[in-house]
Each structure stands twice: as C-alpha cells, then as structure tokens.
C-alpha cells in the first residue's frame, strides 16, 4: 500500500520530501483531521455492526497514515511490512 500512496502523492503534486521533515502547520492539521474523521467513521460502523464500513474505515486510515508518513519524509521505508514490524516489535514485548 505504501507504494500506491506514494504514487498517488506524486501524481497529485503532494509533498514527498526525500528527507525527514516537519510539514507545515496546515498539512499537519489536515492529516490529524483526516485521521479523526476516519476514526469517527470506524466508531459509527462498529456501533452499527457494519463490517463493510469497518473495513472501509480501516483501509482509509491505513492510506492516510502512509500518506502522513510520506509527508514527513519517510520515503526511505521500503515497505509497509517493515513499518508494521517496527510497530509490532515493541507492542509485543513482554511488560
């Protein structure tokens, strides 16, 4: 999915910095707003027990999350599998 989101960003002239950077305030606010909107849609779908809308909200959240990473200059990450592995490793560690 990361490659597809990167392609989308390039096609529409969205920021794709080569190095880690901090996007401008407006872009950061937009990314948070988009994620909140999808989280609200996920909550509504869960309340309605609508599996199709749950899947849609989760897919949209993943797409937005990868786009956010790209806008912060995380293009050096070769695949979503590595991103997921980096996230899962600390979460799976015994406490």
């Amino acid at each position: 999915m990361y490659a597809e989101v990167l392609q989308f960003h390039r096609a529409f002239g969205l920021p794709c910095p080569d190095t880690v950077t901090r996007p401008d305030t407006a872009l950061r606010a937009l990314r948070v707003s988009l994620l909140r909107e999808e989280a609200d849609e996920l909550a509504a779908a869960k309340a309605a027990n609508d599996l199709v809308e749950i899947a849609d909200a989760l897919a949209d959240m993943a797409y937005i999350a990868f786009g956010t990473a790209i806008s912060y200059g995380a293009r050096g990450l070769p695949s979503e599998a590595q991103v997921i592995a980096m996230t899962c490793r600390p979460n799976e560690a015994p406490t």
Side-chain angles (χ1 to χ4, degrees), residues 4-18 21 23-24 27 30-31 34 63-64 66-73 75:
E4 290 83 0
V5 177
L6 180 57
Q7 182 179 358
F8 177 87
H9 273 239
R10 286 178 175 157
F12 288 94
L14 299 172
C16 300
D18 290 325
T21 188
D24 65 39
L27 182 55
L30 172 64
R31 291 290 174 182
L34 291 171
Y63 202 92
I64 294 165
F66 281 116
T68 301
I70 291 166
S71 71
Y72 275 84
R75 292 190 332 156

Side-chain angles (χ1 to χ4, degrees), residues 45-56:
K46 183 178 177 261
N49 200 28
D50 186 333
L51 296 178
V52 171
E53 289 302 316
I54 289 170
D56 178 70

